[in-house]
Amino acid sequence: MSLVTRSLAALALVGLCSATARAASPVPVVFGTTWDVPAVTLQGIMNTYLGAPGLVNVATDYVGHDAGEPDPWFWLDSQFSALLVREVAGYSGLNVLGWYLEDGGPVTIDGIDDGVVFNGPDGSGAMRLIIFPAGVSRFGFYLDPKGAQSGHNAPQPERFFTNRFLNDLGADGSGAIHAPFDGDVQALVFDVSQWKGPNTWLVAFEDVDYGAAITPCCNGTDNDYNDLVFEVKAIGATEARALTFGALKQKFGR
Ligand SMILES: [Ca+2]
Ligand SMILES: [Ca+2]
Ligand SMILES: [Ca+2]
Ligand SMILES: [Ca+2]
């Protein structure tokens, strides 16, 4: 199968997945005040990344904010590239970011159908290209807070996933104390394709458990989503629906 043909097959699959995705959006997100001193906001990071203020409102423009947007979010591609944009977190030297395949079964991070993208020592500007050996796959990202160490409200082997339905409810799995009540939002995903090129997403992770109480530093969580922010280039769940054949050829015709 040629790359373009394979991509079109992937598109058909995307349509299927979109139709069967849980229609849980709109997804309300409870933001907090950052514990970081000096304060660095996700909005500030976004403005710097895009080169101008006001293009994206991080409080309202994340995928899932509006009714009808895919929830949970995922990507579907044969590869992705990732660029580490910014880390503002006490755990920045330890946090590990990885990818994982979503095949519908339980997700276990064990080196099979998952892998590390950025390790603790990686910093802003780090880049990776991951090519899936099996071709087109449905995938997401996980954050392992503090790496091999246990994080606050995240004892090993707990990870935080871009698919919020994989995260424990509340701080310890005993239930959410603030919205959304059906899955903690540990990562926000923004479509930045119109400024950064087709199929480009900015992903912003919170590195302590979203479901804890929002507190002054440092007991619960600050839900500032600036802890690990990275750019992904890959076909996502919604963008693919609008992708033209020309755009596909541009992506895969090289
Ligand atoms: Ca932070
Ligand atoms: Ca949780
Ligand atoms: Ca937890
Ligand atoms: Ca945080």
Side-chain angles (χ1 to χ4, degrees), residues 19 60 69 90 102 113 147 163 217 220-221 238 242:
T60 57
E69 293 177 347
E102 289 194 355
D113 291 339
N163 180 342
C217 194
T221 181
T238 49

Side-chain angles (χ1 to χ4, degrees), residues 31-111:
F31 294 86
T33 302
T34 185
W35 293 338
D36 302 308
V37 179
V40 177
T41 64
L42 177 59
Q43 187 64 60
I45 294 171
M46 179 67 84
N47 296 348
T48 300
Y49 166 71
L50 293 179
L55 299 176
V56 168
N57 181 335
V58 298
T60 57
D61 289 337
Y62 59 86
V63 177
H65 177 271
D66 299 321
E69 293 177 347
D71 178 40
W73 177 252
F74 57 89
W75 288 266
L76 193 68
D77 208 330
S78 58
Q79 64 177 53
F80 70 84
S81 64
L83 166 68
L84 186 50
V85 171
R86 190 81 193 265
E87 290 179 282
V88 188
Y91 301 160
S92 62
L94 298 170
N95 286 338
V96 171
L97 182 91
W99 59 270
Y100 68 96
L101 298 189
E102 289 194 355
D103 60 6
V107 173
T108 307
I109 303 303
D110 56 3

Side-chain angles (χ1 to χ4, degrees), residues 34 36 88-89 222 224 226-227:
T34 185
D36 302 308
V88 188
D222 63 355
D224 61 355
N226 65 3
D227 304 319

Side-chain angles (χ1 to χ4, degrees), residues 152-155 158 160 168-173 184 186 209:
H152 188 49
N153 287 323
E158 183 174 347
F160 300 143
D168 70 354
L169 294 177
D172 59 4
D184 288 3
Q186 293 291 159
D209 198 306

Side-chain angles (χ1 to χ4, degrees), residues 230-243:
F230 65 104
E231 176 194 89
V232 181
K233 287 186 180 288
I235 295 176
T238 49
E239 181 67 11
R241 287 192 301 213
L243 207 60

